Amino acid sequence: MSASQPAETSAAPTLLVKIFGKDRPGLTAGLFETLAAYEVDVVDIEQVVTRGRIVLCALVTEPATAPAGELRATVHGWAESLGLQAEIISGTGDNRPRGTGRSHVTVLGNPLTARSTAAIAARITGTGGNIDRVFRLAKYPVTAVEFAVSGAPADSLRSLLAPEAAALGVDIAVVASGLQRRAQRLVVMDVDSTLIQDEVIELFAAHAGCADEVAEVTAAAMRGELDFAQSLHARVALLAGLDASVIDKVREEVRLTPGARTLIRTLKRLGYQVGVVSGGFTQVTDDLRERLGLDFAQANTLEIVDGRFTGKVTGEIVDRAGKARLLRRFAEQAGVPLAQTVAIGDGANDLDMLNAAGLGVAFNAKPVVREAAHTAVNVPFLDTVLYLLGISREEVEAADGVAD
């Protein structure tokens, strides 16, 4: 019952009509055609079909033109004629009001076990939250389910469910319910080891014959053990003298992360704006922007003189603080409030950006990043981020079908 609902409605006699059995076309219409003969009003409806079995619930007012017992007998007779079971429960008014503080809790499992589901549900109810609805968003490449929860603030749920998720080996995201969840958004991603499977500087280093030295410095920087700007200059210096013609070769070597195209294509169809920020290089990100139809892209630029790398970078350095600054800049240019931005990254230099965004997603990230981000995804499919936004696999496939 809403705050504006009349008190007399909340006290009016109502009937909860529940139908169970094998699903078939026309059941919903048939039930309400049966109820229509008694001039009842519909207060609420809920229907679920799982593996061909239907549970159909209708909350209706008591009949105005006949005894409630007659309606009961008619509904039971209709159900039995179709091999269904019926249950009718008397009561008063509408459903009890949902608690304040509403959230969407998305759980990703590969697989999603009964044990982990039980633990998550128990943790939600232990916070005083109520699970109002559960439904599946996807069955592959992971199982994704969403719990609609009321009675517990999103921030509290997130902090309590995060350690539970880590212990159970599942991924959990908690997002506050509201219109902003379906509003136009901006999604900004890191590039190396997020949008793509590679570290671009290591691809260049392989051509320069210094791959091992660069990889060692890169790993230390991503663990947060080195200042990013210093490590960037140290690694780029090793590329001095390399012929710039390798840029085309490196672009061909870049491997997109599985699900990257699906993620970007789906977001663009929904009207989202999508960008990348990278501690890598514009020589690669500019190509990705064109290939993938990105709205924004910013990275460092390798200096080239007389057709060879000088071992230096030019322009503004994109480091940890720079990524957060660019997220804010992109949001302003896109006309999207920062609270409606999503940031995705894997390394320590992504942390400021992840924390500044409305939703920060650590994607197959280092431990320090997983612990600090709003949520973590630990499966190698970038399009699973769609489920955290409430977009189902069926909706993705339907959009692909229309486009095809």
Side-chain angles (χ1 to χ4, degrees), residues 13 23 31 166 256 353 374 388:
D23 188 31
L31 173 61
L256 290 174
M353 175 178 72
H374 298 138
L388 307 184

Side-chain angles (χ1 to χ4, degrees), residues 186-204:
L186 168 68
V187 177
V188 176
M189 290 175 276
D190 173 43
V191 176
D192 293 9
S193 299
T194 300
L195 178 63
I196 65 175
Q197 301 177 59
D198 313 282
E199 292 288 333
V200 168
I201 195 166
E202 293 180 7
L203 297 180
F204 280 116

Side-chain angles (χ1 to χ4, degrees), residues 247-267:
I247 292 173
D248 289 337
K249 296 177 182 178
V250 167
R251 287 175 173 177
E252 293 176 358
E253 292 167 353
V254 165
R255 301 166 299 163
L256 290 174
T257 297
R261 288 187 183 277
T262 300
L263 172 66
I264 295 169
R265 181 176 65 244
T266 302
L267 292 173

Side-chain angles (χ1 to χ4, degrees), residues 103 108 110 126 146 198 246 254 338 368 388 394:
S103 305
L108 310 180
N110 190 22
E146 182 175 296
D198 313 282
V246 302
V254 165
L338 200 61
V368 65
L388 307 184
E394 289 182 349

